[in-house]
Amino acid sequence: MSTTVLVGNPRPGSRTSTAAGAVARHAARAAGLPPHAEVVELADLAPLLLSPGPTLDVRSALDRVSGTDLLVVASPTRKATYSGLLKVFLDLLPHRGLAGVTAVPVLLTASPAHTLAVDAHLRPLLLELGATVPAPGLALLRDTVPEDPGHAHLLDPVLAPWADAAARGLRAAVRSGTTV
């Protein structure tokens, strides 16, 4: 059983990546999976995403995302929704390309006014692709996320209660591998 983090920030090593890694650790624990997660940084693939036909690197990332058990999808909020980079990547998946995948949507917001975007915009996209999304998404204020991934534990007071509340749904969805 595997966990994958998909980071839709155009800047590599971003706070989005730090937050996504911390969420993945908590979500994997809650789902009963090993804490290790593979990371797909879309910033590394950005120049290849609009090439005619997916390149080998893009195809590998698409396979990784569609073949994982637990997928944490994280993006900064852009124009009150997710990044265009994330949308371009997810548009390369076939219809129901995330069937059998349990997903956790995460958005980093600059303002509390955008906290609803995670469940209003990112969650429906993941559901449309066939993913199971058994728990509410996470909207984290960008300024509360440390830039240094070594300090990601500072998010534990927020993420631990979320993971405890989401555990039953995550565990059931990962074990069944079915879609909702």
Side-chain angles (χ1 to χ4, degrees), residues 110-129:
S111 161
H114 294 135
T115 57
L116 295 177
V118 70
D119 284 321
H121 300 295
L122 185 52
R123 179 189 186 101
L125 174 63
L126 297 171
L127 290 169
E128 177 66 23
L129 287 167

Side-chain angles (χ1 to χ4, degrees), residues 33-91:
L33 298 175
H36 172 73
E38 289 195 40
V39 178
V40 175
E41 283 267 5
L42 292 181
D44 298 336
L45 298 173
L48 307 172
L49 288 177
L50 296 176
S51 298
T55 65
L56 185 58
D57 289 341
V58 171
R59 180 82 259 151
S60 176
L62 290 166
D63 290 345
R64 180 75 209 133
V65 164
S66 63
T68 195
D69 297 295
L70 178 63
L71 177 65
V72 174
V73 179
S75 172
T77 304
R78 298 284 192 250
K79 309 286 189 224
T81 187
Y82 42 83
S83 72
L85 181 61
L86 179 63
K87 178 70 165 116
V88 167
F89 178 80
L90 292 175
D91 279 350

